[in-house]
Amino acid sequence: MTEIFKRMTNLLFLLCLAACSGKSDVVTLLREAEMYMDERPDSALCLLDSVKSMGELTGQEHALWCLLYTQAQDKNRIEHTSDSLIQIAVKYYDGTDLEDRKMQAYYYCGRVFQDLSDAPQAQGCYLKAYEVGKNLNNNSLLGRLCANLGTLYTYQELYQPALDFQKEAADYFLLDEDTVSLSIAFRNIARIYICENLSDSAKTYYSKALSYTSDVHAFYIFNELADAYGRIGEYEKGLSYARKANTLTQTVDDSCLVSFTLGDIFLKTGQLDSADHYLSFCLRSPNIYTLAGTYYLLGQLEKRQNNLEQYVLFQEKYEPLKDSIEQQSRMETLIRNQCLYDYRAVEKEKEYYRQEAYRTTIRLYRIYLGAILFVIAVFIFFVYRSKKQRQKEEQLNQSLRLKDQDYRQSQAFLKEKEDSIARLMEKLELEQKKREGIIYELGKQIEQERQEKEKIVVRLNEVQELAQKKNAESEEQLRNQLEVQIQMKEEIEERLKNQLELEQSKKEAVEKRLKLTIDLTCESKNKQALLSNTDITKEEALFYDSDDYIGLYSDWIKLAKDEWQILQDRIDCILYIDFTHRLKSLYPNISILELQICCLTKLRIPVKRIAVLLSTNSQTISVYRKRLYTKFTGKKGSAKDLDLFLFDF
C-alpha cells in the first residue's frame, strides 16, 4: 500500500507540472525530465508530452526536447518507428562543441535505426558516438554503446570486433559498478565464444556472468552454462547447472528451454528414458527453434532405439521447421544485405555530390581569385598614384607643419612662464597680507606701550609727590626704580623699531625677488625666442637616452665635480633654461648640496639613487627636501610638495 500511495503521489505531482507547463519555464521542465530519466523514465515521458507549444521553443530547447523524448521512449522500451525527431537533435548538436550531448544524439540515433532494422545506419551512428565520447567520462553510456556495437558485429558474424567491443563494454560497466549490465556483457562474450566453438572460453565467461548476475537473469546463465558444459563433454557439471536452472523457471517457455538442455545431455550420456521424458515435454514450446531442435533430437532418440517409423515421423516434422528457419534466416540475410546495399548506395551518392560540390567550389575559387587579383592590381595602381600625390603634398606642407609645431611649443613655453608669474604674484599678495597683519599687530603693541608709558608718567608724578614726603633714602630708591622702568620702556621701543625695520626689509626683499623673477622670466623668454628652432622635447628624449642620464640613474657611484658641471650646463642651457641661475637668484642662501638635490629631483631621479650619488642616505635626502620646501615657500610641507614645486618651477 505504501508503494502504491508513493506512485500515486508522484503521478499527481507530474500531472500538476504538466498542467502548469504552459506557464512555467521550458528549461526547468526539461531539466526535471532529465532528472527522472534513469529512475522513472515513464514520469520523464509524461513531462515531455506536456510540452505542446513547439513553435515557441528556441533551437537549443527544441533539440534537447527531441533528444530527451527519444531517450525516454528508448528507456520505456517503446519501439521507434521514425528517425525524424532524433535527426533534429543530431543536426543541431553536430554543429556545436557540446560533446556530451553530441554523443547522446548519435547513440540514440543508432538505437532508432536499430529498431528500424537498418543495421548499417545504426552501426555508423554508434561509431560516430564512440569517436566523440571515448574521451568523455560517461562510463554508463559508453558501456551500452560498446555492447550494442558488439551485438551488431555478432549479427554480421564479425566475431573478433564483436569480442573487442563487448570486452570494452564490460570494462566500462565495471568502472560504473553496474553489475546487471556487466553480467549481460560477460554472457554476450560467452555466446560469441560459443559461435566460434570455443567452449572453454565460453564456460569461463559464463562463470564470470554468473558471479555478477541477479536472480532474474540467473536462469538464462545456468541454462547456457549447462549447454556449454554439454558441448565440451562435462555432462555432470552440465546436468548440475541445468537442474539449478530448472529450479528458477517461471513460465512454460522457460521449462521447455531447460528440458531441451536436459534432454540433449541425457541423450549424449545414453540415458534414453530421461531424454525422452524431457524432450517430450519440450513439444509444448511455442518457439520454432526449440520445436525444431526437439523433433531432431527425438528422431535421433528413436533412431538409436531402432524405431525407424517414429524416426521418419519426427524427421518429417523436423524438415518443415528446418526449412522455415532457413527461409527466415535467408530473409534476414537478404534484408541485411539489402540494407547494406542501400547504405552503400546512399554513401556513394553522397560521395558523388560531395565531389561535385568540391569541383564547383574549386571553379568558384578560381573565378574569385582572378577577380581578386584584378581588383588588387587596380587598387595597387590607384594607391601608387595617390601615394605620389600625397608625397608631393607632404613635401609642400612639411615646412608649414614644422613652423606651426615650433610656434605651438613657444606658446606652450610662454604659457608656462605666465603661470609661474601668476603663482609668484599670488605668493607676493600673501606675503603683503602677512606684512600688513604684522604691521597691524605692531601698531597695537605700540599703542599698548604708549598707554603703559602714560601710566608710568602718572605713576612717576605720584612717586615725585611721595618723594617730597619721604626722606632722601626713599627718594633715591624710587629714582632707581623709575630709571629701570624707563630703560625697559626704551628697550621695548627699540625692539619694536627693529621689528618694523625687519618687516620693511622683508617686503623690499620680496619685491626685489619678484622683480628678479620677472626679469629672469623675460630673459628666459628671450632665450627661448633665440632657441625657437630647437626641439626641447626631442632634446629631453635624447638626454633620457644618453649615457649621462643612464649613469645618473644606475651606473655612477658618485656625482663627481666635472660630471656635476656638465649636468648643470645641460640643464640650464638645453633642458630647463637658467634653472639653477633662477634658484640662486631667488634664494641666494641655497647651498651646493641643496642645488644638486633640486636638479636631480627635477630630472626625476629616485631618492635612493640621489642618496648614492651624493654619498649620503635616503633619510637625509628626505629631510633636505622638506627643509627646501619650507625655505622656498615659507610653509611646511612634505617631500612630494617640493617635487611638485620644482616640476612647475
Side-chain angles (χ1 to χ4, degrees):
M1 291 295 292
T2 305
E3 185 66 25
I4 294 173
F5 177 75
K6 184 177 180 181
R7 290 188 178 183
M8 290 180 64
T9 305
N10 290 333
L11 182 60
L12 289 173
F13 174 70
L14 291 173
L15 289 175
C16 291
L17 283 177
C20 299
S21 62
K23 299 179 181 179
S24 62
D25 188 8
V26 177
V27 177
T28 305
L29 189 143
L30 294 176
R31 191 180 297 115
E32 290 284 340
E34 191 168 12
M35 289 173 58
Y36 292 135
M37 190 65 68
D38 292 329
E39 297 181 359
R40 290 182 286 174
D42 53 342
S43 302
L45 187 61
C46 181
L47 277 176
L48 293 170
D49 280 330
S50 66
V51 180
K52 303 298 182 184
S53 55
M54 292 295 176
E56 298 179 1
L57 300 181
T58 63
Q60 183 179 3
E61 293 171 350
H62 191 203
L64 182 57
W65 182 89
C66 293
L67 174 61
L68 294 178
Y69 196 83
T70 306
Q71 184 180 0
Q73 286 183 322
D74 190 69
K75 294 278 187 182
N76 286 286
R77 301 185 183 279
I78 299 174
E79 186 176 356
H80 303 286
T81 58
S82 174
D83 64 334
S84 57
L85 287 181
I86 194 61
Q87 289 293 352
I88 294 173
V90 170
K91 186 179 295 183
Y92 177 80
Y93 290 116
D94 196 32
T96 65
D97 295 332
L98 304 173
E99 301 295 328
D100 194 29
R101 294 294 188 193
K102 190 186 298 184
M103 175 190 175
Q104 289 179 338
Y106 279 133
Y107 171 75
Y108 286 106
C109 187
R111 292 287 301 130
V112 170
F113 280 124
Q114 196 168 352
D115 283 351
L116 296 175
S117 300
D118 193 346
Q121 290 275 35
Q123 182 177 323
C125 291
Y126 284 147
L127 289 173
K128 288 180 181 178
Y130 180 76
E131 288 298 321
V132 172
K134 62 185 179 181
N135 294 323
L136 299 178
N137 188 19
N138 193 344
N139 296 324
S140 176
L141 188 58
L142 282 169
R144 285 181 282 148
L145 174 61
C146 292
N148 288 336
L149 276 171
T151 303
L152 287 177
Y153 281 119
T154 304
Y155 289 157
Q156 300 174 52
E157 299 181 357
L158 300 173
Y159 298 123
Q160 188 55 48
L163 275 174
D164 293 338
F165 277 111
Q166 290 291 0
K167 289 179 180 179
E168 190 172 354
D171 293 336
Y172 284 124
F173 290 139
L174 187 61
L175 291 172
D176 197 42
E177 298 181 357
D178 186 355
T179 57
V180 176
S181 300
L182 184 60
S183 66
I184 295 173
F186 284 144
R187 184 202 66 186
N188 292 337
I189 295 171
R191 287 179 177 178
I192 295 172
Y193 280 126
I194 290 292
C195 294
E196 291 188 312
N197 295 319
L198 299 173
S199 300
D200 291 334
S201 299
K203 180 183 65 175
T204 302
Y205 277 95
Y206 274 128
S207 300
K208 289 183 178 181
L210 192 60
S211 64
Y212 287 101
T213 191
S214 60
D215 294 338
V216 179
H217 299 92
F219 163 74
Y220 300 101
I221 303 299
F222 282 135
N223 188 54
E224 292 183 20
L225 193 55
D227 181 66
Y229 277 112
R231 288 174 183 268
I232 63 176
E234 296 183 14
Y235 301 117
E236 292 299 327
K237 290 185 178 180
L239 285 172
S240 66
Y241 281 113
R243 290 190 178 98
K244 290 180 181 179
N246 196 27
T247 61
L248 298 174
T249 57
Q250 295 180 353
T251 63
V252 176
D253 193 35
D254 293 344
S255 300
C256 291
L257 285 174
V258 178
S259 298
F260 181 81
T261 304
L262 287 168
D264 182 41
I265 294 174
F266 283 129
L267 181 62
K268 290 177 180 178
T269 57
Q271 302 178 45
L272 301 181
D273 292 337
S274 299
D276 182 62
H277 171 73
Y278 285 107
L279 290 174
S280 298
F281 182 80
C282 292
L283 294 176
R284 303 178 185 180
S285 176
N287 192 310
I288 187 174
Y289 292 96
T290 305
L291 280 175
T294 302
Y295 284 132
Y296 175 77
L297 291 179
L298 285 171
Q300 295 299 316
L301 176 64
E302 297 296 335
K303 184 178 179 181
R304 292 179 69 174
Q305 292 178 348
N306 293 322
N307 295 329
L308 297 180
E309 292 181 1
Q310 292 294 327
Y311 168 71
V312 171
L313 180 63
F314 284 123
Q315 283 296 113
E316 287 177 354
K317 292 181 179 181
Y318 168 68
E319 290 298 333
L321 294 174
K322 178 185 176 183
D323 292 339
S324 298
I325 292 172
E326 289 179 352
Q327 184 178 3
Q328 185 176 351
S329 299
R330 284 196 298 271
M331 288 298 296
E332 289 178 355
T333 304
L334 287 174
I335 292 172
R336 187 162 57 247
N337 291 335
Q338 183 63 36
C339 290
L340 183 60
Y341 175 78
D342 293 340
Y343 175 74
R344 290 175 178 173
V346 170
E347 290 297 321
K348 186 176 180 180
E349 187 176 1
K350 286 182 180 178
E351 184 63 25
Y352 170 75
Y353 284 116
R354 192 180 296 113
Q355 294 293 333
E356 189 65 26
Y358 176 75
R359 287 191 290 270
T360 304
T361 303
I362 292 297
R363 286 196 296 271
L364 289 174
Y365 280 160
R366 288 175 180 173
I367 294 172
Y368 290 156
L369 182 61
I372 290 170
L373 291 175
F374 176 75
V375 171
I376 290 174
V378 174
F379 177 74
I380 290 174
F381 172 74
F382 282 106
V383 167
Y384 176 77
R385 187 174 179 182
S386 61
K387 185 177 180 181
K388 285 293 184 181
Q389 291 178 353
R390 283 198 301 272
Q391 285 179 352
K392 291 180 181 178
E393 293 175 357
E394 187 68 25
Q395 290 174 357
L396 292 173
N397 296 328
Q398 187 174 7
S399 59
L400 294 176
R401 285 199 301 271
L402 291 174
K403 291 180 180 179
D404 183 63
Q405 185 178 3
D406 293 340
Y407 174 74
R408 290 179 181 178
Q409 290 177 354
S410 300
Q411 291 295 109
F413 180 77
L414 292 175
K415 185 178 180 181
E416 181 181 355
K417 296 304 177 183
E418 289 174 356
D419 292 340
S420 299
I421 292 172
R423 285 194 294 271
L424 290 173
M425 291 296 292
E426 291 177 358
K427 292 179 182 179
L428 180 61
E429 290 177 358
L430 290 173
E431 292 292 335
Q432 188 172 359
K433 288 180 181 180
K434 289 181 181 179
R435 185 179 64 80
E436 291 175 354
I438 291 170
I439 292 172
Y440 175 74
E441 292 294 332
L442 290 174
K444 287 176 66 177
Q445 291 180 3
I446 292 171
E447 181 63 25
Q448 291 177 357
E449 293 293 335
R450 186 183 62 77
Q451 292 176 0
E452 290 178 358
K453 183 178 179 181
E454 291 178 352
K455 290 180 181 179
I456 290 170
V457 171
V458 172
R459 187 176 179 185
L460 181 60
N461 292 330
E462 292 176 355
V463 169
Q464 287 178 355
E465 292 177 357
L466 291 173
Q468 294 175 0
K469 298 177 181 180
K470 292 183 178 181
N471 54 24
E473 184 179 354
S474 298
E475 184 178 356
E476 183 67 22
Q477 185 177 0
L478 289 173
R479 188 180 294 109
N480 292 335
Q481 290 178 356
L482 182 61
E483 288 177 356
V484 169
Q485 289 179 358
I486 292 171
Q487 186 177 1
M488 289 175 63
K489 175 178 171 297
E490 290 176 352
E491 289 178 356
I492 290 171
E493 290 178 351
E494 184 68 21
R495 187 165 59 251
L496 291 175
K497 182 178 179 182
N498 292 335
Q499 287 181 356
L500 287 173
E501 292 177 354
L502 180 61
E503 291 298 325
Q504 186 67 27
S505 63
K506 284 183 178 180
K507 178 183 176 183
E508 292 175 356
V510 170
E511 292 176 350
K512 183 178 180 182
R513 186 182 300 172
L514 178 61
K515 184 175 181 299
L516 181 60
T517 301
I518 295 171
D519 294 338
L520 289 173
T521 303
C522 295
E523 185 179 354
S524 298
K525 287 182 180 180
N526 295 332
K527 289 185 178 181
Q528 181 64 27
L530 294 174
L531 298 173
S532 59
N533 293 326
T534 302
D535 191 344
I536 302 301
T537 305
K538 188 181 294 183
E539 290 294 334
E540 288 181 350
L542 290 174
F543 175 71
Y544 288 133
D545 291 334
S546 66
D547 294 338
D548 292 339
Y549 185 76
I550 294 171
L552 283 172
Y553 203 86
S554 60
D555 294 345
W556 292 352
I557 299 175
K558 183 179 179 182
L559 185 63
K561 185 175 181 180
D562 53 348
E563 293 169 347
W564 160 247
Q565 189 61 45
I566 293 171
L567 179 64
Q568 184 178 4
D569 293 341
R570 194 156 191 176
I571 290 173
D572 288 340
C573 299
I574 297 175
L575 297 175
Y576 311 109
I577 305 300
D578 293 338
F579 178 74
T580 60
H581 180 62
R582 284 180 283 148
L583 281 176
K584 290 179 181 178
S585 299
L586 292 174
Y587 312 104
N589 296 328
I590 189 169
S591 65
I592 296 297
L593 179 61
E594 292 174 340
L595 187 62
Q596 289 174 344
I597 291 173
C598 292
C599 290
L600 293 174
T601 303
K602 183 73 173 179
L603 294 176
R604 303 178 188 273
I605 303 299
V607 175
K608 292 183 179 179
R609 187 63 190 153
I610 294 174
V612 172
L613 292 171
L614 300 180
S615 300
T616 183
N617 54 50
S618 302
Q619 186 176 3
T620 303
I621 297 299
S622 299
V623 172
Y624 268 107
R625 292 165 72 196
K626 292 180 181 179
R627 291 177 180 175
L628 282 170
Y629 182 77
T630 304
K631 181 184 288 188
F632 291 163
T633 62
K635 298 183 293 184
K636 290 185 178 181
S638 62
K640 291 184 179 180
D641 294 331
L642 176 67
D643 295 344
L644 297 175
F645 176 81
L646 291 175
F647 293 158
D648 293 336
F649 186 76

